[in-house]
Amino acid sequence: MAPTSCSLCRDAKAILKRPKTGQQICKDCFFFVFETEVHHTITESELFKPGDRVAIGASGGKDSTVLAYVMKTLNERYNYGLDLFLLSIDEGITGYRDDSLETVKRNQQQYDMPLKILSYDELYGWTMDAIVEQIGKKNNCTFCGVFRRQALDRGAASLNVDHIVTGHNADDIAETVLMNIMRGDIARLGRCTLICTQGEDTIKRSKPFKYAYEKEIVMYAYFKKLDYFSTECIYSPDAYRGHARTFLKDLEAARPSAIIDIIHSGEAFEVKEEIKAAQKAQQTCKRCGYMSSNDLCKACTLLEGLERGMASSVITDRARKKMDAIGPAPDNIRTIPLFRSTPTIAVELPSQS
Ligand code: SF4
Ligand code: ZN
Ligand code: ZN
């Protein structure tokens, strides 16, 4: 049988079937359509303006490595005029994050971008290894997720950037839509499909891979021979998300457009005005100054639980009340540094080789 020719250029031999569309295409056309779709996502949502300083949340994994490569490529090809940085969070997970950070350090050299690494230990005085030692392998991802979100904002503030981009892909967003429906979490459902949200202060946070399929990101990394780290975290990942993921993969196998369809369904949800009005207003955390809908932000609450040796009891509001009933937090309780727009920027510059 004669080899199939690429359905886009009709010239080269098709060597892959696009998971998103089922088209048989050649490698160069795949690179071009993948990059161009991300470019359209960026321009249609007007994510950036010339001169923006943008931090790429980099873990060394496939999503953020491809994101760093594609952001660099598009910034040069279309003259976005962005200053790009790599920002990595070191959760302190021996045998996992220490190895993946070595990949980020190589990416720093390969992509010639400044890199800032901020650790949980530096910010919170706790590594994930120490947290798991206290709380065990249940709820560890709750701590890690809350701490990472704040760490990214604080790292970005110390870099003085306007914007953080993360490698969340279409599969991640569709999974989150499903999880929020299953939990009945209206507030999160209303905002989880937004491409751009506001973080701490004026730092925006966005997801240029919102419509990029995970399978295509893996293909892109593979055919471009990008240097990324593919080991899973040694602590058990969120089991609930795992179920949503398996369900989504089954749906995708039956109908590849299911991922995009679920994102579009999530975008079409409208939260009634009276429900929005009933949601808690944002204020600032009384202890650390981070945005919060309660007196204390989630990170300060979790940190207090750890410091008082009652971490497993601060996951829910009810448990928090129980901790309060035992007595107030000691006056010398640890606070989290905020790093508001520092004039000097401590970054590791790529060494000349
Ligand atoms: Fe953190 Fe959980 Fe992810 Fe591991 S799996 S890095 S503990 S959120
Ligand atoms: Zn082609
Ligand atoms: Zn706080």
Side-chain angles (χ1 to χ4, degrees):
M1 208 169 71
T4 317
S5 59
C6 170
S7 68
L8 293 176
C9 66
R10 313 231 169 254
D11 188 18
K13 196 172 94 182
I15 59 147
L16 61 94
K17 186 175 168 193
R18 261 198 96 177
K20 195 171 179 177
T21 58
Q23 286 169 309
Q24 309 263 14
I25 54 176
C26 71
K27 205 157 74 173
D28 286 341
C29 284
F30 171 64
F31 293 149
F32 186 74
V33 286
F34 181 90
E35 291 156 4
T36 307
E37 283 178 11
V38 177
H39 171 61
H40 286 156
T41 305
I42 290 171
T43 49
E44 277 163 22
S45 308
E46 297 177 8
L47 289 187
F48 312 115
K49 54 181 190 330
D52 273 355
R53 292 165 61 88
V54 179
I56 301 163
S59 67
K62 62 176 184 347
D63 299 304
S64 59
T65 303
V66 173
L67 181 64
Y69 181 88
V70 170
M71 284 296 297
K72 182 178 168 67
T73 304
L74 297 178
N75 192 32
E76 287 165 5
R77 184 180 300 160
Y78 298 105
N79 297 317
Y80 289 169
L82 307 177
D83 273 338
L84 297 174
F85 299 82
L86 294 172
L87 171 60
S88 289
I89 305 304
D90 180 1
E91 297 93 343
I93 303 176
T94 313
Y96 168 63
R97 187 56 82 219
D98 42 2
D99 291 343
S100 68
L101 285 175
E102 290 307 312
T103 313
V104 180
K105 287 178 191 163
R106 288 197 301 276
N107 293 158
Q108 172 198 11
Q109 305 292 326
Q110 291 152 353
Y111 306 156
D112 193 22
M113 286 180 202
L115 164 68
K116 161 104 187 146
I117 300 175
L118 186 61
S119 72
Y120 281 8
D121 197 15
E122 222 174 307
L123 263 185
Y124 308 111
W126 286 80
T127 61
M128 272 313 288
D129 287 340
I131 293 172
V132 169
E133 206 171 297
Q134 184 183 125
I135 66 162
K137 286 190 191 168
K138 203 173 165 225
N139 295 325
N140 51 298
C141 294
T142 304
F143 281 79
C144 196
V146 170
F147 282 178
R148 187 182 305 108
R149 184 169 179 89
Q150 286 215 13
L152 268 178
D153 269 345
R154 289 161 202 247
S158 79
L159 281 171
N160 246 337
V161 300
D162 310 285
H163 208 125
I164 306 168
V165 288
T166 57
H168 291 98
N169 59 44
D171 300 51
D172 297 327
I173 296 167
E175 268 164 40
T176 309
V177 171
L178 291 174
M179 282 165 64
N180 287 332
I181 291 173
M182 292 189 277
R183 285 178 175 145
D185 191 333
I186 298 295
R188 287 206 172 86
L189 184 57
R191 55 175 193 261
C192 72
T193 54
L194 295 176
I195 187 161
C196 189
T197 50
Q198 195 77 40
E200 171 70 356
D201 288 341
T202 52
I203 302 170
K204 288 200 258 172
R205 195 182 266 256
S206 65
K207 309 173 187 115
F209 282 171
K210 179 182 174 186
Y211 299 113
Y213 274 34
E214 184 176 71
K215 282 183 180 162
E216 300 207 348
I217 293 172
V218 175
M219 268 185 181
Y220 188 94
Y222 172 78
F223 285 120
K224 283 275 182 190
K225 298 190 173 58
L226 299 185
D227 182 6
Y228 68 94
F229 182 80
S230 53
T231 307
E232 294 277 323
C233 174
I234 55 167
Y235 300 130
S236 46
D238 184 344
Y240 199 73
R241 182 171 283 277
H243 292 308
R245 168 154 290 232
T246 308
F247 179 50
L248 186 70
K249 291 279 171 230
D250 287 348
L251 288 177
E252 187 194 8
R255 182 173 134 133
S257 69
I259 295 174
I260 291 289
D261 295 341
I262 290 170
I263 297 177
H264 287 155
S265 308
E267 287 169 338
F269 275 111
E270 279 190 31
V271 181
K272 277 187 182 169
E273 285 307 318
E274 59 259 42
I275 304 281
K276 274 191 204 158
Q279 286 167 4
K280 286 184 182 170
Q282 287 290 326
Q283 43 177 314
T284 49
C285 170
K286 291 206 162 53
R287 194 168 290 158
C288 76
Y290 191 81
M291 62 186 175
S292 170
S293 44
N294 294 305
D295 282 356
L296 286 187
C297 72
K298 197 85 187 147
C300 279
T301 304
L302 295 178
L303 185 59
E304 185 182 329
L306 286 168
E307 296 278 322
R308 296 174 73 180
M310 290 183 269
S312 51
S313 66
V314 289
I315 303 296
T316 63
D317 285 350
R318 226 175 74 206
R320 163 84 231 185
K321 284 191 187 111
K322 226 164 105 189
M323 186 167 79
D324 289 342
I326 294 171
D331 289 342
N332 60 349
I333 194 94
R334 201 185 159 90
T335 55
I336 310 167
L338 248 194
F339 302 127
R340 267 205 177 95
S341 331
T342 45
T344 43
I345 306 154
V347 291
E348 291 174 35
L349 289 168
S351 62
Q352 302 300 315
S353 54

